[in-house]
Amino acid sequence: MKIFKLLLSFVLTIGIFYALNTKFGSIPPIGKFLNPYSGVWQNETDESISGNISIPELKDKVTVHYDAELIPHVFAQNETDLYRAQGYITAKHRLWQMEFQTYAAAGRLSEIIGESALSYDRQERRRGMGYGAEQSLLKMNEDEETKAYIDAYTAGINSYINQLETDKIPVEYKLLDYKPEAWTPKKTALLLMYMTKMLAGGDEDIEYTNALRLFGKERFDLLFPDFFDVTDPIIPKDNDWSYIDIPQTPMPNSEPVLDSIATVIDKPDPNYGSNNWAVSGSKSTTGNPILANDPHLGLNLPSIWFVMQLSTPTHNTFGATLPGALGVISGFNQYISWGETNATRDVIDWYKIEFNEDGTKYKFDGDWKDVTYRIEDIKIKGKENYKDTIRYTHHGPVFYDDNFKSDNAKKGYAMKWIGHIGGNNQKTFLELNKSKNYKDYVKAISSYTAPAQNFVFASTEGDIAIWVQGKLPNKWEGQGKFIMDGSKSENDWQSFIPQEFNAHTKNPKRGFVSSANQTPVDEAYPYFVFNDGYETYRNRVINDFFRSKEQFSVQDFKDLHNNNYNLKASELMPYMLETMDVSNLTEEEKEIYSIAKAWQYNNDMEEIGPSIWKAWWSILYNMVWDEFDVEDTAITTPFTYQTIYLLKTKGDDAFMDILDTPEKETAKDLFLISFRKAVKKLNDWKTENGDLNWTNYKGTYAGHLLQALPAFSRFDIPIGGGKNIVNATSENWGPSWRMIVEMTSPPTALGIYPGGQSGSPGSKYYDNFIDDWAAGKYYSLNFLQSDKVTDVIIGTQTLIPNN
């Protein structure tokens, strides 16, 4: 690999012998790293996939078959052995990744990276990541079965760690000069918190509060409506909600807190999302229901997913697992298939806290309540520990106070987050793995807490369904949009929406279910739902596709997964091209204009139109919302759909005027000004980088989790798609697992993801799926019905009890 040659050249250049075994700052001891007996060279081998391995406390032997994609097919005689084996096999292929993610979740990166990670660690601890994991672990431990399986999974991981010889430690440990530590059940809880943060860790309360204060309620409501004028919700509009007999929380006489706040907590990428859908047997060319899922997450190496088959005499499951958690997350068994998309509900609220003189109490309903303290002892590599005292209220942790991102000792802002509630989400997936029908599926997801997900379902019995599932607060109208007064109990979450009233549909008349992170319901749903960044383009393309004809095949599903139609551009660019004044365009501008005019709005690899759109739209968008560039004020700009709506229907609105010019611009003026800037930007880029085709301009890459390791990453991946497109592949995020399952008996399935099964950069299985994934290809998932060796198996390991 390139990194090895670069490091060797670096060492030779230094030319100082003692440097080979001395650590300088964040640079590992290079001598140890390059040692031929225990260093990085020992990682450049393919995985061992044959022979016998002795595992403590196994009750019976476990057979692990590997197919040509290095997918393990695990056959155990009981559930406890199965999850012990899953832990061992997952650690064997993904140990560094799964542990690193728990360090990140717990705010422990300073231990392995050094002082540069301290601010990040403080933030994650103030976010309450460790606290939330502890609450979830308490819930998981209340269920004896869940606890037993997590303990077995933990023991399996530790069996691998205990057998791991120094020379075989994953390369990243050697680069960072540290060693794996024992796995614990809390690490599994932290891994699940890591996903909760990624998918339910965003909010705009503070930014909206600043916008409300600056622009007033009438303008705010124009910019940030609860529903757009076009909605195609997850649950069809004709759904009958009359069965709901528990009302929405009544609205108190409450006013938002219009404080000005300069900075906000770091948030997950708002582009994370997903698609899923299923068609009924009547809408399938074969008469069998078909289901698809493609979660859109970061394009990381190692991949976020690890594909496995997990089988016992009582159930047989196949699909994408999450390294560090038990069971299959998105997959199928002999009877059902399931997948998830993010429901993006507002489950974070912020409360202004008023403290007493010494900060030991906070005001609540006219009295003073004691704060509780959580002392976070942060270890820093090569430095003394840093201790951070975090105050907790009944709302949650006080994130902003005079110790962090604020200088006012008398007030702070506390975070109420569903991630702190605690829930046994692990049980949901354990039960889904062995579910046999719709009733089992509903029971499995009924206790699921967070992050709220749209669980799609199909069965061999012929049912299809989708549930918007999570523990969702029953808010009064408008609650959670803005900072609330934490001293009044009327602003607290009063209750949760009963699980049976979460939005759902089974076997709808239209013959299909789908979700793509759009609004879950329309205005008729009797609980408060507001526009929490819902997607407005992918979902309409998907639903229009399934309305376009009577029946669909697996090939149709493949085509839809890889659909590159840019609905967003098609709804604005023709209007811009027709509206703006083109009489004085230069020759360079005319050339780009002609290409844009001819574009058919497909973000295919060789097209130049998508590059023009991206450059033009980004400049135009920022130009429209220059009023939001306010110094020392955290603020967010309006959503894409509403921006386009205003450009087309309110082109002379005051927001269209550019603040820094004496003229009063309209949307028509902005189109031309931004177009000319885009042409210059594109031509400058072309001079420096070459062809303007979409693949080059977009530059999709799969980056290693340690971003400073380009040699462990893949760049310039040849793929189309883009933001707001069904094939949602942008620069470094996109479809992280494409799965299609036809509900034959047993089901037949296809799947692929942008990575490889191995976590070792030296393995041929590290990134071997990427080119086929980019080309829109799939692998047949070899759903073995017994542990009998077949011609798809290339190696077999047997895990045997060591007693």
Side-chain angles (χ1 to χ4, degrees), residues 573 577 591-601 607 609 612:
M573 187 182 273
L577 293 169
E591 180 182 358
I592 294 295
Y593 181 89
S594 296
I595 296 172
K597 191 86 170 174
W599 183 37
Q600 297 300 303
Y601 304 107
E607 293 277 3
I612 298 171

Side-chain angles (χ1 to χ4, degrees), residues 91 95-96 98-100 102-103 106 108 111-112 154 157-158 160-162 164 169 173 178-184 186-187 190 379:
L95 176 62
W96 177 81
M98 56 198 283
E99 188 177 48
F100 182 78
T102 66
Y103 270 78
R108 294 181 59 197
E111 292 182 36
I112 56 177
T154 297
I157 295 171
N158 288 329
Y160 178 74
I161 292 173
N162 293 337
L164 189 59
I169 290 175
Y173 288 106
Y178 76 112
K179 293 181 180 180
E181 65 181 17
W183 194 264
T184 64
K186 184 179 177 180
K187 285 181 176 284
L190 281 164
K379 297 178 182 178

